[in-house]
Amino acid sequence: MFGGERIGNGLRTWKPLSEMRPVILDCDPGHDDALAILLAAPHLRLLGITTVAGNQSIEKVTANALKVVELAGLARIPVAQGMARPLVRQPVHAGEIHGDSGLDGPDLPAPSTPLHPRHAVDFIIDTVMSTDGVTLIPTAPLTNVAAALRREPRLAKRIPEISLMGGSMTCGNSTPAAEFNIYCDPEAAHVVFTSGIPIKMCGLNLTRQANATEVEVERIRRLGNRTGRAVAEMLDFYRGRLRQMFGLAGGPLHDPCAVAALIDPSLIEFRPMHVAVELTGTHTCGMTVCDSRHLARGQVEGGGGVRRGETPNAEVGVRLDVEQFFNLLIETLGRYP
Ligand code: BDR
Ligand code: CA
């Protein structure tokens, strides 16, 4: 493992770049987004990081993405700034979880590289149209992805897969029904889930299994490297906020799950389902309505007042191999400066 090419200060990919899956990570760092970047870079051919308003304003999450690549010696990866607000609705941020900066906790180094000159939506379109087989990994509201699909409809045939963090098969976090990334921009999520692009959905029902407790955080701190120390401090802050607000004992690492699904398919069990995004419900706006009836009954049948299920449009994550997930994540963090 990690016998590939140098991509940063001392960091090597785990195999030659030409053999790795090309991806764009679309994110709103965000504590768990920072971990998604760090997990992706050595295992996938990370062509760029695009940012979108979500956990904090677009300026703040973009600054955080630049600081994370600086910390990890990954400053050669382009960071392109994207949409500052949802397609239709007013912006919603999550400062109560991620702090005023969007990535409170560690003192991160000032970025030494400039922002990519192109807008994230243009970056996504240009990259996908010029490079075969680019997979998208959105770990934030789906505004950039939806805007790109509307601007360049040919993208839908060029993107082999989207592995996203968002939604839930069970309850939400922003509301009882809706998960934050989908709640922020449900219209954008609707565009993505109806695009016809194969989707892997890592929703809260799955990502809450990736729960970082004191044990995992101490394993990361003991790595002893600069990146591991900063990540441990990020998780101290994140877990502290979740403890204060919800009395939680750990911190779910939502976003790295969408990355892990591409690195090692054996880590997550997915089931095909039809996922519809609720756009109008008084209590359920932003909910991902996952038709999982077939899981219990073999298949969805019509008749007797039961509406036949629609053809699945997503693979929905249901079970995570928690031990192997954390082994992969912690071993990867240990490779950084
Ligand atoms: C999602 O919301 C954000 O706060 C996290 O970064 C994650 O992408 C979890 O609901
Ligand atoms: Ca996120």
Side-chain angles (χ1 to χ4, degrees), residues 28 30 32-33 55 94 98 139-140 165 173 179-181 204 254-255:
D28 59 343
D32 51 341
D33 298 85
N55 283 325
H98 298 275
T139 62
M165 191 283 135
N173 52 2
E179 180 279 331
F180 178 79
N181 290 339
L204 294 176
H254 306 289
D255 293 341

Side-chain angles (χ1 to χ4, degrees), residues 163-180:
S163 179
L164 63 87
M165 191 283 135
S168 177
M169 257 187 84
T170 53
C171 64
N173 52 2
S174 283
T175 74
E179 180 279 331
F180 178 79

Side-chain angles (χ1 to χ4, degrees), residues 112-288:
S112 65
T113 47
L115 196 56
H116 192 269
R118 305 278 282 155
H119 190 279
V121 172
D122 296 317
F123 180 87
I124 292 171
I125 293 172
D126 294 351
T127 309
V128 170
M129 293 309 289
S130 63
T131 311
D132 287 338
V134 178
T135 293
L136 303 187
I137 313 177
T139 62
L142 288 156
T143 321
N144 284 341
V145 180
L149 287 168
R150 283 292 189 256
R151 279 262 310 280
E152 178 46 273
R154 289 178 298 170
L155 287 190
K157 291 265 178 289
R158 300 271 309 157
I159 297 172
E161 189 171 32
I162 292 179
S163 179
L164 63 87
M165 191 283 135
S168 177
M169 257 187 84
T170 53
C171 64
N173 52 2
S174 283
T175 74
E179 180 279 331
F180 178 79
N181 290 339
I182 308 296
Y183 179 73
C184 285
D185 198 342
E187 285 74 20
H190 173 77
V191 169
V192 172
F193 276 96
T194 56
S195 66
I197 301 170
I199 292 174
K200 280 193 168 74
M201 172 180 135
C202 296
L204 294 176
N205 58 294
L206 178 90
T207 61
R208 284 181 174 133
Q209 298 169 41
N211 192 35
T213 65
E214 196 61 26
V215 173
E216 286 78 30
V217 177
E218 286 315 307
R219 278 176 70 190
I220 294 170
R221 209 183 313 275
R222 280 200 307 271
L223 290 169
N225 54 349
R226 170 179 95 205
T227 306
R229 276 194 304 274
V231 167
E233 287 170 24
M234 282 179 209
L235 294 178
D236 290 342
F237 179 90
Y238 176 65
R239 290 174 62 241
R241 281 295 171 96
L242 291 167
R243 194 180 313 121
Q244 267 171 26
M245 292 203 42
F246 305 110
L248 296 183
L253 304 188
H254 306 289
D255 293 341
C257 290
V259 175
L262 299 176
I263 297 173
D264 181 353
S266 75
L267 290 179
I268 300 177
E269 183 185 333
F270 286 93
R271 295 293 182 90
M273 289 177 209
H274 184 268
V275 179
V277 179
E278 178 58 78
L279 299 175
T280 55
T282 309
H283 302 289
T284 53
C285 188
M287 179 179 183
T288 44

